[in-house]
Amino acid sequence: MGGSRDIPLANRVGEVTPSLTLEISAKAKAMKADGLDVCSFSAGEPDFDTPQHVVDAAKQALDEGKTRYGAAAGEARLRSAIAHKLSSENNLPYSANEVIVTNGGKYSLFNLMQAFINPGDEVIIPSPYWLSYPEMVKLAGGVPVIVPTTAQQQYKITASQLEQSITPQSKLFILNSPTNPTGAVYSRDELTALADVIVKHNLWVVSDEIYEKILYDNAEHISIGSLNSEIFARTLVSSGFAKTYAMTGWRVGYLAGNEEIIKAMTTIQSHSTSNVCTFAQYGAIAALENPASETAIETMRSAFAQRRQIMLDALAKVPQLTCPTPYGAFYLFVDISQTGKTSFNFANELLEEMQVATVPGIAFGNDSCIRLSYATDLTTINHGLERLTKFVQS
Ligand code: GLU
């Protein structure tokens, strides 16, 4: 049952848990506001400001009176700019009417589940996963089918694991590369093998590519839908502006795919969020069209690369903690099982005793690990790692 006797909540509320990433980062921010010296490795939120040309474009849109309702599927110019980006950069030949602009990447996925998943449909999700995927599936009445992966396989699902998890109820597979929370990046060969299974079993795939530009050590991002026309027809691409352009609060994301699905999602959007904030969409257009974005992205990426190396070097000195090298995104998924603590107790004690905020791996489907986000400044990283080391070795 969703509600207590006094407050008769809908049953579906009882099916899901609040987002722990948002909860912990809010707690860390509140502790900081109370004057506590907190080092937060919690939310995946770039600590950079949104690039000035993006801010200026939104301001100009405000000055020009772009403050009214817009089309539910998004501003035509932004839909075209997204389609152009996907065609030219990702080799995904979408047209503008195969794109919907959504309230962040998160709502693109939530809306997709509403438009595409029937009660009882199975959605295959490799674990560790971004914590909102299973909850969105459940809220649509679907059944999340979790496929565990290990550090030895760099937390990447194999084609044979995918194939073995397919049943007559399977409808959708959620792929996320680069991956939150592990930083894994799938290679062309791995994606080709997964695509063969998807096509063979008439499955659909939603490819969450929100971290596509945050890559290290010459890792390459490949969109699974670009591999051939058969997989392209069964692929939906989800992404957004939050991570690449430091635009987390703007809430601009999108989904591209089959036009019928986009139309269905637009219908749902027209009864739920309506259009994404109009002037924010003009910021997003500038993010895609203004060449100044390239420098801004590279400045952030190289800062993340430096921080990642500092984190990896520091963790290498703590034998009780291990993690695979991440090749994308801005997370380390650190195995804490040698400490004998559950991930929740580890993260909780670390926060209480050392004022270091992390996210317990159990939230991502793996109780042996914690997630550290290094989308934060170097002072926090250096102090936080010192405290983490002390905590583990005390
Ligand atoms: N996606 C980010 C994270 O995993 C932001 C918080 C959220 O929406 O989950 O930390």
Side-chain angles (χ1 to χ4, degrees):
M1 279 290 288
S4 68
R5 219 177 331 140
D6 296 335
I7 311 291
L9 298 177
N11 291 349
R12 74 177 69 85
V13 180
E15 302 277 308
V16 292
T17 48
S19 167
L20 206 61
T21 44
L22 295 184
E23 204 168 291
I24 293 176
S25 72
K27 185 169 173 186
K29 280 179 189 166
M31 286 171 77
K32 263 190 199 168
D34 284 348
L36 288 170
D37 172 22
V38 177
C39 295
S40 181
F41 295 104
S42 55
E45 174 165 43
D47 56 318
F48 295 95
D49 291 330
T50 303
Q52 194 56 45
H53 61 280
V54 176
V55 174
D56 289 342
K59 282 185 184 165
Q60 191 186 330
L62 272 171
D63 288 340
E64 287 171 359
K66 299 209 164 63
T67 54
R68 299 185 183 274
Y69 291 136
E75 293 292 295
R77 221 180 111 196
L78 179 55
R79 294 175 78 194
S80 296
I82 293 166
H84 176 73
K85 174 250 180 288
L86 291 170
S87 305
S88 57
E89 285 184 6
N90 303 86
N91 194 21
L92 298 168
Y94 290 114
S95 56
N97 52 4
E98 293 168 312
V99 173
I100 181 172
V101 181
T102 57
N103 193 53
K106 189 180 272 183
Y107 192 72
S108 80
L109 293 162
F110 182 89
N111 188 336
L112 172 68
M113 298 307 160
Q114 296 295 316
F116 196 61
I117 296 304
N118 279 316
D121 284 347
E122 291 180 358
V123 179
I124 300 169
I125 305 173
S127 152
Y129 46 74
W130 178 44
L131 74 196
S132 291
Y133 297 148
E135 309 307 274
M136 291 169 175
V137 171
K138 287 190 263 173
L139 284 167
V143 181
V145 174
I146 307 299
V147 182
T149 65
T150 62
Q152 289 67 40
Q153 62 189 106
Q154 294 176 334
Y155 297 117
K156 293 192 254 188
I157 187 173
T158 63
S160 74
Q161 279 184 303
L162 176 62
E163 187 148 38
Q164 278 161 29
S165 63
I166 293 174
T167 74
Q169 282 70 47
S170 306
K171 188 162 187 185
L172 182 66
F173 166 52
I174 303 183
L175 175 70
N176 175 215
S177 177
T179 307
N180 175 9
T182 64
V185 177
Y186 285 73
S187 70
R188 183 177 291 277
D189 287 350
E190 288 160 347
L191 292 171
T192 304
L194 291 171
D196 287 348
V197 173
I198 292 162
V199 170
K200 177 174 158 200
H201 292 275
N202 292 326
L203 205 61
W204 288 75
V205 56
V206 58
S207 177
D208 178 351
E209 304 187 4
I210 195 148
Y211 297 100
E212 67 167 325
K213 303 263 188 198
I214 305 170
L215 296 166
Y216 314 106
D217 296 350
N218 301 319
E220 192 190 355
H221 170 72
I222 292 155
S223 297
I224 190 167
S226 70
L227 295 174
N228 60 60
S229 58
E230 284 176 305
I231 186 68
F232 178 67
R234 309 196 73 79
T235 299
L236 304 146
V237 181
S238 163
S239 194
F241 293 81
K243 315 292 185 188
T244 305
Y245 303 95
M247 289 171 68
T248 47
W250 292 61
R251 310 314 301 143
V252 191
Y254 57 88
L255 188 129
N258 177 285
E259 199 178 341
E260 289 307 308
I261 297 174
I262 297 300
K263 274 192 198 150
M265 288 176 64
T266 305
T267 302
I268 289 173
Q269 192 145 291
S270 74
H271 290 298
S272 50
T273 60
S274 296
N275 63 280
V276 169
C277 170
T278 309
F279 49 88
Q281 293 188 61
Y282 283 84
I285 292 169
L288 288 177
E289 291 183 347
N290 190 324
S293 288
E294 258 173 57
T295 320
I297 293 170
E298 180 49 25
T299 303
M300 292 189 261
R301 194 208 62 81
S302 60
F304 294 141
Q306 185 201 11
R307 297 164 184 186
R308 162 185 170 268
Q309 201 51 54
I310 291 170
M311 302 271 289
L312 285 171
D313 291 348
L315 287 172
K317 297 189 188 120
V318 189
Q320 296 94 326
L321 304 178
T322 54
C323 71
T325 302
Y327 292 101
F330 34 55
Y331 306 109
L332 292 179
F333 204 55
V334 179
D335 191 313
I336 49 116
S337 56
Q338 286 185 53
T339 67
K341 296 182 200 288
T342 65
S343 65
F344 187 84
N345 287 347
F346 186 100
N348 211 30
E349 289 170 24
L350 185 62
L351 183 58
E352 297 296 327
E353 292 172 25
M354 296 285 181
Q355 286 81 49
V356 174
T358 59
V359 185
I362 190 71
F364 308 102
N366 182 324
D367 204 20
S368 303
C369 298
I370 56 161
R371 190 190 76 174
L372 302 177
S373 160
Y374 49 91
T376 190
D377 62 278
L378 279 178
T379 312
T380 300
I381 288 177
N382 287 324
H383 289 165
L385 286 172
E386 258 172 46
R387 293 183 204 175
L388 173 64
T389 307
K390 216 159 131 196
F391 175 76
V392 173
Q393 295 185 336
S394 64

